[in-house]
Amino acid sequence: MLNNLKRVRTRHLALAKNSSEPISMLTAYDALTARVFDEAGIDVLLVGDSAANVMLGLDSTLEITLDEIIMMARAVTRATRRALVVVDMPFGTYEASDEDAVRNAVRIMRETGAAAVKLEGARTSTIGRIVDAGIPVMGHLGFTPQSVHALGGHRVQGRDADAARLIEKARAVEAAGAFSLVVEMIPAAVGADVSAAVDIPVIGIGAGNGTDGQVLVWADAMGMSAHSPSFVRQYAALGDQLRQAAESYRNDVRERTFPSTQESFDH
Ligand code: KIV
């Protein structure tokens, strides 16, 4: 079903879950990669706040601003024809009050042309208010990077007794009106249990193979990150390839073998 769509919409993700069709999602932060991933048939593009690390070289996702993510999301939607584009609400843009959250979600939708926003935590009142404003919300539970300090570092969540609490939170996020949910760094069995416990599609990252879909940070999966988490599969070694290509170009320039006469204008 997903394969035949001209444009992926939130309701299509629900249909995909109903027919057990896995949903593919990748991050994208610019027009260059968004075009390629869209052409490859990735169903959902997430303008994630991981852009803080990947694109801006910052230490944590806490540092990216609303203006920065809006600028990136505008580039992504411009280059996307088919995929559903979801934009992360940065740290500090939805915690202080539901009014703030709605105002900032409206800005994201109005200025980027994206189809949905994503926010971390079981903030049911905030999710409900944004959904009431007509904006689809994707939730995010398990390891939530914006709470890295409160969680005591990058640690697997939802183990043992916490599994039941995580499932309760997932049900609450669904009841608040979220159309979908990301679960990050939880045991595979818990990923499957969360997916079975709710009707909305659950997209996993480091959450095993039993969720309704998978998401990865593209730079981790394509070999562009200095360090990738252990749950990431390497689909390409683009960093090495780019370095080699840049070295070849540098050598050609130094040896004056580029440009050739064919690569030059003769008059
Ligand atoms: O910002 C991001 O890339 C994310 C994914 C890890 C789901 O939220």
Side-chain angles (χ1 to χ4, degrees), residues 94-165:
Y94 58 94
E95 298 89 340
S97 71
D98 290 350
E99 288 68 32
D100 254 12
V102 172
R103 192 176 313 110
N104 290 326
V106 165
R107 250 201 87 189
I108 290 174
M109 299 300 282
R110 182 184 284 148
E111 295 181 31
T112 71
V117 299
K118 174 165 88 58
L119 59 88
E120 297 184 1
R123 298 172 179 276
T124 51
S125 145
T126 312
I127 292 171
R129 287 288 302 277
I130 298 174
V131 170
D132 280 350
I135 300 172
V137 175
M138 179 179 271
H140 186 158
L141 296 174
F143 177 70
T144 43
Q146 293 176 9
S147 305
V148 61
H149 300 297
L151 295 173
H154 290 76
R155 296 152 62 103
V156 174
Q157 304 293 310
R159 284 193 163 127
D160 307 320
D162 283 344
R165 269 192 286 276

Side-chain angles (χ1 to χ4, degrees), residues 25 27 29 46 48-50 88 118 140 182 184 205 215 217:
M25 172 161 144
T27 62
Y29 317 106
L46 171 67
D49 59 2
S50 51
D88 251 340
K118 174 165 88 58
H140 186 158
V182 165
E184 180 164 355
I205 172 162
V215 56
V217 171

